[in-house]
Amino acid sequence: MNGSSVSTKAFCWHAVRKDGAVYAFTTHVRDLLIDAVTFKAASAFSPSEVQTRNDSSVDNLELIGLIASDTITEADLLSGKWDFATVHFFAINYLAVTDLKESIKKGTLGQVSRQGARFRAELRGLAQYLQTPIGIATSITCRYEVGDAECGVNMAPFTFVGAVTAVNGQIGFTDSSRAQTTPYFDFGELTWTSGNNNTLKSQVRRYLTGGVFTLLIPVPFSITIGDTYSVKRGCNKVLLGDCKLIYNNAVVFGGEPYIPGIDEIVQIGRHGA
């Protein structure tokens, strides 16, 4: 894009969320049709200074904008639907949208947060992938999630449905119909099937006899009496704990509990070791 077109430059960003929804915005005052995609005018959207380095460290760009009821909604932000969306940020001459785009950044959004009526998101560049560990590290506890493909446990006998009968803010609730005793659902996964948090997942931090659930983190929206849910029993990821005693699945335990740790290694050569 040459110097004569600086005054006709518009910034655009094209986003694909994890659920497959596609969104496109531009800083231009009117919608732009680019490559058969309509980029909606969003004057409240603004990119921060682009940070790009010549080494392999992560380069980032911060996107700031106003929450719009028909595009980026408060509910979608709080429920995490925009977290880790793939984004292409570029500039274009809005008088000649078929001209070559000036690509500025490609990457994924970090966690999206709300600040009053505004949202803030960090666009992580492709160098972010160079910071991702590759391979499997040893672990005393199991690295699998109970019921996943590696674990292989059939969770159907350990999955239950219910409804809220009392509320403890957005961090917990009670289902008085639950017959399980402490600590049956500790570390379990709960999926909301109705109410304000419908389809969202929560991890159970603590379960007590009488159907008292405490969640690991508060849900984004209020819990109300009558909200329904599905909950799976959890696992403490200990070989001789839940893995063996509850699920009888020690043979595929995904950890290495008997590898000597650093405390034993540093004892080598010491008197009495």
Side-chain angles (χ1 to χ4, degrees):
M1 198 172 296
N2 56 44
S4 62
S5 63
V6 171
S7 62
T8 61
K9 178 184 290 188
F11 293 104
C12 303
W13 64 293
H14 180 271
V16 181
R17 299 191 323 200
K18 292 185 299 180
D19 60 4
V22 177
Y23 293 82
F25 303 96
T26 177
T27 57
H28 189 45
V29 294
R30 297 184 181 88
D31 294 351
L32 297 177
L33 183 64
I34 305 172
D35 297 335
V37 176
T38 299
F39 285 71
K40 293 185 177 182
S43 58
F45 155 72
S46 63
S48 68
E49 182 181 357
V50 181
Q51 299 177 5
T52 302
R53 302 175 177 87
N54 60 4
D55 55 14
S56 60
S57 58
V58 178
D59 48 288
N60 298 314
L61 171 68
E62 194 173 68
L63 304 176
I64 304 171
L66 290 177
I67 296 172
S69 59
D70 60 340
T71 50
I72 300 178
T73 66
E74 178 183 19
D76 286 350
L77 287 172
L78 293 177
S79 61
K81 290 184 177 180
W82 280 91
D83 293 354
F84 313 115
T86 59
V87 174
H88 181 200
F89 179 60
F90 60 92
I92 198 166
N93 180 355
Y94 61 77
L95 295 181
V97 296
T98 58
D99 286 358
L100 187 66
K101 303 184 191 71
E102 180 185 339
S103 184
I104 298 174
K105 190 73 63 180
K106 290 183 179 180
T108 58
L109 291 183
Q111 187 172 13
V112 183
S113 60
R114 185 191 65 171
Q115 297 178 344
R118 302 179 69 84
F119 70 89
R120 184 180 297 268
E122 181 186 59
L123 177 56
R124 299 170 178 172
L126 297 178
Q128 176 74 28
Y129 295 105
L130 298 178
Q131 310 297 319
T132 304
I134 298 176
I136 298 175
T138 59
S139 171
I140 295 176
T141 56
C142 183
R143 66 181 62 89
Y144 306 146
E145 296 299 325
V146 61
D148 68 10
E150 289 82 4
C151 170
V153 170
N154 176 16
M155 293 302 294
F158 304 101
T159 303
F160 304 86
V161 296
V164 175
T165 58
V167 177
N168 178 22
Q170 290 175 231
I171 194 63
F173 66 92
T174 298
D175 178 359
S176 58
S177 69
R178 292 262 65 90
Q180 292 82 3
T181 58
T182 305
Y184 192 91
F185 291 111
D186 283 9
F187 316 115
E189 182 184 77
L190 185 145
T191 303
W192 297 97
T193 54
S194 72
N196 298 325
N197 298 290
N198 188 30
T199 73
L200 299 185
K201 297 182 184 297
S202 300
Q203 186 174 357
V204 179
R205 183 175 70 86
R206 183 67 170 154
Y207 173 81
L208 301 175
T209 301
V212 181
F213 290 85
T214 301
L215 306 178
L216 181 64
I217 58 175
V219 290
F221 309 108
S222 59
I223 302 170
T224 59
I225 293 176
D227 287 355
T228 57
Y229 65 88
S230 172
V231 63
K232 298 177 182 178
R233 187 171 190 175
C235 180
N236 63 10
K237 299 180 178 291
V238 177
L239 174 61
L240 300 181
D242 292 353
C243 186
K244 177 181 179 181
L245 300 179
I246 295 176
Y247 299 109
N248 191 29
N249 201 42
V251 68
V252 294
F253 180 74
E256 297 77 27
Y258 301 117
I259 292 180
I262 190 64
D263 290 341
E264 292 205 20
I265 293 176
V266 298
Q267 296 299 320
I268 297 177
R270 292 188 176 181
H271 178 72

